[in-house]
Amino acid sequence: MSSLNSTTPSQPPSFLLLGIPGLEKEQFWIAFPFCIMYAIAVLGNIILLIVIKTESSLHEPMYLFLAMLAFTDLVLSTSMLPKMLAIFWWGSGEIGFVSCLVQLFFVHNFSAVESGVLMAMALDRYFAICYPLRHSSILSMPVVTALGSLVLLRGVLLVAPACFLLHRKDFCQHRVICHSYCEHMAVVKLVCEDTRVNAAYGIFVALALTVFDITVIVVSYTMILRAVLRLSSSDTQHKAFNTCVSHVCVILAFYVPVLFTSLTHRFGHSIPQHIHILVAHLYMVVPPTLNPIIYGVRTKQLKDKIVVLFQKGI
C-alpha cells in the first residue's frame, strides 16, 4: 500500500478561487459591468452566427472566419464568466480538481484558437487586397475549413500537455487559487514538486503562439499597407483602409491585454496582483463583447443583413 501511495499523485478534491485578492469588498459591484459585457457578448456573437449561417451571400472566407471567431468568443467567455460571477456575487469559489483542469484547458485552448483565427483573418485580408482576382481560389471552402481545423488542433495539442503535466503532480495542502478562474500559472504555484518544467512549457506555448501569430499578422498588414498606398483610386484606398481598421481594432483589443498579462505574470512582480487579475479578465470578456459590435457596425454588408434579420424577427 505504501508503494502505491508513493506513486499516486496527491491531489486535493477541490480548489478555492478567491476572485480578485485585495478587492474582495468591491467584487460585488465589479461583477455588474462584467455581467453586462457577458450578456452583450453572448447576444452579439449568437446574432453573428445566425446571420452568417442563414445568409448564403455571407458564405465567404471573411465571414466564415468571423463565424469561427464568434464561436470561439462564446466558448472562451462562457468557460469562466459564469463561475466568476458566482464568486463575486455569492462567494461560490469552490471548484473540483478535474473541473479546474477542464476550465484551464478551455480557457487556454480557446485563447490560442482566438489568436489563430485572428491570424487567419489577417491572411484573408492580405489575399483579398493584394491578390483580389485569386482570392476565392486561394481561400476556397476546403482551405478555410482546413485552416479552422488546424487552428483548433494546434490549440489542443499545445494546451493538453500542460493539463496532463499538472494532473501528474503532487499538490500541497494549500488549495487557494488567487484568481477568479483556473489560470495555468496560478494552479502551478500550488504544486509541491519542482515546477520548472511546467513553467518552461507554459512560457514556450505562450511565446510560440503569440510570436508566430503576431509575426504573420504584422507581415500581412505591412504588405496590405504597401498595396493600398499603391492604389490609384482614393475611394478604393478608403474602402480597403475601412475594412482593415475593423480587424486592427479587434487584434489590439485581444493582444494588448494578453501580452500584458503574460509578461506581468512572470516578470512584473511590482505590479499589484489585483491589477494583473483585472487585466487578465479584460482579454476574456472585452474582445468577445467588442468583436460583434465592431464588425456589425463597420462592415456594411453584415450590418445590412443584421437589420434585415431584425426586421423579419429573429
Side-chain angles (χ1 to χ4, degrees), residues 14 25-26 60 62 68 71 96-97 114-115 120 122 139 168 173 184 195 279 290 304:
S14 63
K25 294 182 179 179
E26 293 81 7
E60 301 174 0
M62 173 182 170
M68 295 179 195
F71 177 77
F97 178 78
E114 175 133 355
S115 179
L139 288 177
R168 295 176 59 84
Q173 294 299 315
H184 177 247
T195 59
V279 175
L290 291 181
D304 293 342

Side-chain angles (χ1 to χ4, degrees), residues 175-191:
R175 63 187 189 97
V176 177
I177 299 176
C178 297
H179 217 299
S180 300
Y181 61 90
C182 292
E183 195 270 340
H184 177 247
M185 287 305 298
V187 178
V188 167
K189 290 177 180 178
L190 302 184
V191 174

Side-chain angles (χ1 to χ4, degrees), residues 82-127:
K83 181 62 179 178
M84 188 191 79
L85 294 175
I87 297 170
F88 288 2
W89 279 334
W90 302 295
S92 180
E94 190 156 354
I95 184 171
F97 178 78
V98 175
S99 299
C100 183
L101 291 187
V102 170
Q103 186 187 57
L104 187 154
F105 173 79
F106 273 90
V107 166
H108 290 283
N109 177 41
F110 280 90
S111 295
V113 171
E114 175 133 355
S115 179
V117 172
L118 292 175
M119 177 192 65
M121 294 176 77
L123 288 174
D124 170 64
R125 290 300 85 202
Y126 166 71
F127 288 118

Side-chain angles (χ1 to χ4, degrees), residues 153-258:
L153 182 62
R154 182 187 69 164
V156 171
L157 292 178
L158 286 175
V159 176
C163 300
F164 178 75
L165 286 171
L166 280 173
H167 192 270
R168 295 176 59 84
K169 291 291 186 180
D170 287 317
F171 284 79
C172 304
Q173 294 299 315
H174 179 64
R175 63 187 189 97
V176 177
I177 299 176
C178 297
H179 217 299
S180 300
Y181 61 90
C182 292
E183 195 270 340
H184 177 247
M185 287 305 298
V187 178
V188 167
K189 290 177 180 178
L190 302 184
V191 174
C192 288
E193 302 178 48
D194 185 359
T195 59
R196 284 178 293 182
V197 172
N198 301 73
Y201 186 76
I203 294 174
F204 163 74
V205 171
L207 289 177
L209 288 170
T210 54
V211 170
F212 179 78
D213 292 352
I214 290 177
T215 299
V216 172
I217 290 170
V218 169
V219 171
S220 296
Y221 277 99
T222 301
M223 300 298 289
I224 288 170
L225 184 61
R226 290 177 58 187
V228 168
L229 292 176
R230 287 200 298 263
L231 294 174
S232 56
S233 171
S234 59
D235 184 57
T236 306
Q237 284 183 339
H238 177 73
K239 288 180 179 179
F241 273 123
N242 192 52
T243 302
C244 292
V245 163
S246 301
H247 296 280
V248 172
C249 290
V250 168
I251 289 166
L252 290 176
F254 177 74
Y255 279 112
V256 169
V258 164

Side-chain angles (χ1 to χ4, degrees), residues 4-5 46 70 74 122 131 135 186 192-193 257 286 299 314:
L4 179 62
N5 289 337
I46 287 177
L74 281 173
Y131 301 97
H135 177 234
C192 288
E193 302 178 48
V286 171
T299 309
I314 296 181

